[in-house]
Amino acid sequence: MKRLKTLFALLLAAVLFAGLCLPAAADDAVSAGDEAAAESPVPAEDAENGAAADSVPDWDTLVRDLMAEYEFYDTQVALGYLNLVTGEEHYLNPDEYMGAASMFKLPLCMYYTELLKTGQTTWDEQKEGESYKSVQDNILLYSDNKAAERLWEKLGGYGVFRQLTASYMGADPEEIKGLNEQYNRYTARQFITCLKLLYDENERFPDILETMKQAMPDRYFRLYENRFPIAHKFGYIPSTMPDEESVMNDCGIVFASQPFALVCFTRNSGQSEQFLTAYCTAMCDYTEASAALAAEREAAEKAQLEAAAVTEPPAPEASDAPAEQDVWAGSALLARLSERLSPVLSRLPAGLPLVPLAFVVLFVLLGLIAILRLSFRYRARFFPLLLALLISAAAMLLSIAGLYNGTVYAKPSGDPAETVRLFFDDLCAGRYDTACRQLRDYADLGLGDTPSTAAGRRVCDALHESYSYELLGEPEIKMLDAVQKVRFRYLALPSIEADVAAQTQREIEAIVESSNPNEVYDADRHYLPEVTERAYLAALDAVLTHAEKYYTEDELALSLTYTDGRWQMLMSPELLRALGGGTGV
């Protein structure tokens, strides 16, 4: 019995000694880590915001990369961006006057709408049954040149209109005094100022924004960007002579989580429309990333304030009464152990199963006591009993790990390659809703939406017809995750842009040669919208007749996960880009 008591005392002393030493070592390690962090040359702002500080790219870098991708020079573009919530503002060539084309019609409609709202003028119908709302819709939705000319003529001419709307643009009326319709040029900063006014004081210009949201849902900024509502006014003038300037622009308000104003002037490029929508998409991504970072910072600051507001409980008042002499002497040791454990326990993850772990420790201690007792009193074999105890403890620990960390071991059934095959079979057959059943957390690809314009429908049909695929090798399976490589073929839409633009020019020349001038030009010698639209559709049809020339193939590594008893694909940016014909989606 004496030997048993001695062994038990040694065991208890070892446990208590470990409790005293290990937390101290942990504290020393943490202190060393804190000192190293204090000496590390990390900027204060990065230390405060963590890794998220690098999550938003630089605006200038974004724009320069985009220009390089579409082969634009500084002289060909003027850009503006204004976050209407935070006031963040960026420009490229902000004060350079660029050909505005039909974008001038936005301040024109704003001015005339305000005149009618305030009663400064009345609408006298010049055509039977034609209301101002009809005229405004024709201008903002279809860019009606004749309707716009009627409005500025009612104001006293184009030069007078520019002076009257100078305040909308943040411009000096004297600076633009005497301008005529031959000088239809504005700056990026002026249109950002105009869009900010329209957003901030929308009640002054009723119905303008709602009408702009309906304009050209498949062109310009909205060619491939359809995540958010966009109220925009576009402008386009193709060149008819080798030395004549071509212009394609857009300006608008994107109603993202933080609405922002956007303007993009371009000239003399065959990739203008691709650049417009790519710029819009990049600014959408930039704004969403900035908003997410701001929310993260706000949450961190709120957490810091809440933590600072928590005060420590007051220290107990000292008592003059003498300490009790019969207090168990081991209480001081337990208090020391608790003091040492508290910092370590406070750093452990929330929800750690301390109670089950404590039960296992207690089970092992009691088991050791029982084994020692049986060994000394009944001559039981010590090592087999100890092995049985350790196996039981290990089983308990595995059970706790399974409850806390999830499945320890799993063998999924089924073939991940079959999931990928079903997805692409449905995709190539046009069964887009069925294809989405193979995706995790992705209910709609947007491929079944029918574009509202004839050109959009033809491009979408050609894109969908180009889809084909080939599985490459066997899937790589690791636990509940897998990767299947696929070669996917699609119509590369950026590659057809230059050819469509060149063919459009040839179609326009053919129309000009075979038609009367009044069937081709308006009063300002601009092409009629129906002429350019007809030429564009004819050019698109001619290019898509040989669509296979523009097919391309991407090798994609598609990730899958085993969920709810089956393999499901995870959507990737590379697959989304391929489904969109090689454009941002």
Side-chain angles (χ1 to χ4, degrees):
M1 185 58 127
K2 184 176 180 182
R3 292 174 61 189
L4 178 63
K5 291 181 179 180
T6 301
L7 286 174
F8 175 70
L10 291 174
L11 180 62
L12 181 61
V15 171
L16 294 177
F17 179 76
L20 288 171
C21 295
L22 291 179
D27 286 348
D28 293 341
V30 171
S31 299
D34 291 343
E35 291 175 4
E39 295 174 1
S40 177
V42 179
E45 182 178 357
D46 289 353
E48 179 182 352
N49 298 324
D54 296 329
S55 62
V56 180
D58 177 68
W59 188 90
D60 291 319
T61 302
L62 269 178
V63 167
R64 292 296 177 184
D65 290 346
L66 206 60
M67 291 172 61
E69 179 181 353
Y70 288 91
E71 299 179 352
F72 271 83
Y73 298 102
D74 282 13
T75 56
Q76 292 178 278
V77 293
L79 307 174
Y81 168 89
L82 171 64
N83 188 311
L84 295 165
V85 176
T86 66
E88 180 184 354
E89 195 169 13
H90 300 284
Y91 291 101
L92 176 67
N93 297 329
D95 301 311
E96 181 176 348
Y97 278 88
M98 303 279 286
S102 292
M103 288 206 307
F104 79 89
K105 295 167 186 174
L106 173 58
L108 176 63
C109 287
M110 288 172 59
Y111 186 79
Y112 216 93
T113 299
E114 185 176 20
L115 286 183
L116 291 171
K117 180 179 183 296
T118 57
Q120 298 179 55
T121 188
T122 58
W123 178 252
D124 52 339
E125 298 182 351
Q126 298 184 17
K127 285 186 178 180
E128 184 177 354
E130 184 181 30
S131 64
Y132 173 69
K133 179 64 170 66
S134 174
V135 171
Q136 176 185 281
D137 285 352
N138 286 336
I139 292 175
L140 294 178
L141 296 179
Y142 311 113
S143 211
D144 190 325
N145 291 322
K146 292 184 178 179
E149 182 180 357
R150 285 167 52 197
L151 287 191
W152 87 56
E153 289 297 341
K154 289 170 70 69
L155 297 174
Y158 183 85
V160 175
F161 144 68
R162 288 292 299 269
Q163 285 186 277
L164 293 173
T165 57
S167 61
Y168 291 175
M169 322 303 292
D172 182 2
E174 292 299 321
E175 178 185 347
I176 58 175
K177 186 175 181 180
L179 295 181
N180 56 42
E181 59 271 19
Q182 300 302 320
Y183 196 80
N184 180 27
R185 295 180 179 272
Y186 288 83
T187 71
R189 194 189 306 275
Q190 288 173 352
F191 264 99
I192 289 292
T193 303
C194 179
L195 291 167
K196 184 178 186 304
L197 174 67
L198 179 60
Y199 180 82
D200 291 342
E201 303 182 36
N202 187 34
E203 68 282 353
R204 288 174 57 184
F205 317 101
D207 199 48
I208 295 285
L209 275 178
E210 291 306 312
T211 302
M212 291 169 64
K213 287 180 183 178
Q214 304 171 36
M216 288 292 180
D218 301 306
R219 296 291 307 275
Y220 306 104
F221 281 163
R222 302 177 65 178
L223 180 62
Y224 298 117
E225 179 51 62
N226 52 21
R227 289 175 292 175
F228 310 106
I230 302 177
H232 67 139
K233 182 67 194 84
F234 47 88
Y236 173 51
I237 299 178
S239 61
T240 58
M241 301 295 291
D243 59 345
E244 188 175 10
E245 180 181 75
S246 65
V247 170
M248 183 176 284
N249 313 318
D250 205 355
C251 69
I253 296 173
V254 181
F255 291 87
S257 59
Q258 292 181 345
F260 61 91
L262 201 62
V263 61
C264 179
F265 290 91
T266 73
R267 59 188 175 196
N268 300 332
S269 173
Q271 301 193 79
S272 289
E273 191 162 19
Q274 297 291 341
F275 181 78
L276 284 173
T277 193
Y279 176 57
C280 183
T281 294
M283 293 303 99
C284 288
D285 295 341
Y286 176 81
T287 303
E288 292 302 294
S290 298
L293 179 59
E296 182 180 335
R297 287 175 174 171
E298 183 178 354
E301 291 173 358
K302 183 178 180 181
Q304 290 176 358
L305 291 176
E306 290 175 352
V310 178
T311 57
E312 295 184 0
E317 295 182 1
S319 173
D320 296 333
E324 295 288 341
Q325 298 298 319
D326 58 349
V327 176
W328 179 47
S331 62
L333 185 60
L334 290 178
R336 173 64 175 165
L337 178 62
S338 175
E339 178 183 352
R340 280 293 188 178
L341 286 173
S342 294
V344 175
L345 295 178
S346 65
R347 298 188 183 97
L348 294 176
L352 187 67
L354 294 178
V355 173
L357 289 177
F359 176 79
V360 173
V361 172
L362 181 61
F363 171 80
V364 172
L365 290 175
L366 294 176
L368 283 174
I369 294 172
I371 290 173
L372 290 171
R373 184 173 182 134
L374 290 171
S375 298
F376 286 110
R377 175 169 292 188
Y378 299 107
R379 302 293 181 178
R381 299 177 65 183
F382 177 79
F383 286 105
L385 292 174
L386 179 62
L387 181 61
L389 176 65
L390 294 178
I391 292 175
S392 300
M396 290 182 178
L397 290 174
L398 285 175
S399 300
I400 295 172
L403 290 172
Y404 183 64
N405 295 316
T407 305
V408 178
Y409 173 76
K411 184 178 181 180
S413 61
D415 184 3
E418 183 62 21
T419 297
V420 177
R421 186 180 294 109
L422 289 173
F423 171 81
F424 281 103
D425 283 346
D426 288 332
L427 178 75
C428 295
R431 300 187 294 266
Y432 306 121
D433 292 340
T434 308
C436 287
R437 296 175 188 172
Q438 311 304 327
L439 298 174
R440 181 180 178 183
D441 301 329
Y442 220 96
D444 185 17
L445 293 171
L447 297 176
D449 299 338
T450 302
S452 59
T453 65
R457 290 190 292 271
R458 294 177 191 181
V459 170
C460 283
D461 289 344
L463 175 61
H464 297 167
E465 289 174 4
S466 69
Y467 291 161
S468 69
Y469 77 99
E470 177 188 358
L471 297 184
L472 302 177
E474 298 296 323
E476 299 177 5
I477 302 176
K478 184 177 181 181
M479 298 294 289
L480 300 180
D481 298 315
V483 175
Q484 173 66 59
K485 293 184 178 180
V486 176
R487 181 180 291 114
F488 183 59
R489 188 192 71 182
Y490 59 91
L491 171 63
L493 297 182
S495 66
I496 73 172
E497 179 68 22
D499 289 350
V500 171
Q503 184 63 31
T504 300
Q505 186 60 46
R506 289 191 287 269
E507 296 290 342
I508 288 178
E509 293 172 357
I511 293 173
V512 170
E513 292 177 0
S514 61
S515 306
N516 295 325
N518 60 350
E519 296 175 340
V520 178
Y521 302 104
D522 60 16
D524 299 321
R525 299 294 295 173
H526 295 155
Y527 291 120
L528 294 172
E530 55 267 27
V531 171
T532 56
E533 183 69 17
R534 183 168 50 137
Y536 182 77
L537 289 176
L540 195 58
D541 287 339
V543 170
L544 292 179
T545 301
H546 307 287
E548 63 277 3
K549 291 172 47 181
Y550 307 96
Y551 287 177
T552 189
E553 292 182 345
D554 285 349
E555 289 192 5
L556 307 172
L558 302 178
S559 299
L560 299 95
T561 185
Y562 191 77
T563 307
D564 299 330
R566 66 190 184 96
W567 287 103
Q568 293 178 291
M569 282 177 53
L570 302 177
M571 181 55 71
S572 67
E574 293 77 16
L575 177 55
L576 269 180
R577 184 177 181 276
L579 294 177
T583 62
V585 179

